[in-house]
Amino acid sequence: MFTLPQSDLGPVREAMLHGMVSVLAFDQNDEKQLAEGKLLLINNQIDQTTSTIQLKAEFPNDDERLWPGEFVRIRILITTSKNAVTIPPVAVQRGPDGYYVWVIKSDNTVEQRPIDAQIVSDDIAIAAKGLSVGEHVVLNGQSRLDVGVHVEIRSPPPNAEKQADKS
């Protein structure tokens, strides 16, 4: 049993109308996948005090990686986007006309480009329109940019990933 915000009810119900919905269980750090199961049901009532819906999933546990009462993080696969252009959500900015990103052009100047974006998770956003595969976007310092400003592309320090794993 697990809960989701009531705003997720529509997409989850729609996914269930199209067939089996996969549910992934991750460890409490949300790093290691422990199991994959299927969504069985959605409770027929929204909890008014928390504005959440309760769902039930079933997981085969042949390898005994799940334990009763164990805290896990749940992800539901409600749709798959093929050949999608993905970017880190931190690149997506919201302006008066909708979402946009700062794109780094070949001469290392930037342009502000409107996009149709969908934030999928803490790690991924899908740019449905306005961005092509291979284009570079600005990930930090967007508040200091203006059209035509020259930027420098920096790679992460060589040991940044290893240090991040240790912290």
Side-chain angles (χ1 to χ4, degrees):
M1 302 291 286
F2 61 98
T3 60
L4 289 176
Q6 87 174 29
S7 60
D8 291 338
L9 178 59
V12 172
R13 287 187 67 214
E14 186 69 27
M16 286 188 80
L17 292 173
H18 292 97
M20 187 190 77
V21 176
S22 293
V23 180
L24 307 174
F26 284 79
D27 64 5
Q28 62 183 344
N29 297 325
D30 205 17
E31 293 173 356
K32 184 178 180 183
Q33 183 177 329
L34 302 175
E36 181 173 351
K38 63 182 177 180
L39 184 61
L40 294 180
L41 62 93
I42 302 171
N43 195 338
N44 64 354
Q45 191 172 18
I46 295 173
D47 183 337
Q48 296 296 311
T49 59
T50 60
S51 190
T52 59
I53 54 173
Q54 192 174 50
L55 302 98
K56 184 175 185 179
E58 179 180 55
F59 295 91
N61 197 23
D62 299 332
D63 56 3
E64 297 183 355
R65 293 177 75 181
L66 296 174
W67 201 256
E70 177 182 16
F71 180 81
V72 294
R73 301 234 182 220
I74 298 292
R75 296 184 193 173
I76 298 178
L77 180 61
I78 57 172
T79 187
T80 301
S81 299
K82 296 183 186 231
N83 301 318
V85 176
T86 61
I87 55 176
V90 69
V92 179
Q93 304 293 298
R94 182 185 294 267
D97 298 324
Y99 291 119
Y100 68 91
V101 292
W102 288 99
V103 178
I104 303 172
K105 300 189 309 188
S106 60
D107 62 355
N108 283 357
T109 61
V110 294
E111 70 177 6
Q112 185 178 5
R113 189 174 310 158
I115 62 169
D116 286 342
Q118 177 184 6
I119 307 298
V120 176
S121 69
D122 292 341
D123 303 325
I124 297 173
I126 294 176
K129 292 181 184 175
L131 200 58
S132 299
V133 173
E135 289 189 295
H136 292 101
V137 295
V138 176
L139 300 180
N140 61 31
Q142 292 98 324
S143 63
R144 298 186 302 264
L145 295 178
D146 200 359
V147 175
V149 168
H150 190 278
V151 295
E152 178 183 334
I153 298 175
R154 294 185 185 169
S155 298
N159 293 330
E161 288 182 17
K162 290 180 184 177
Q163 290 173 353
D165 288 343
K166 291 180 184 177
S167 47

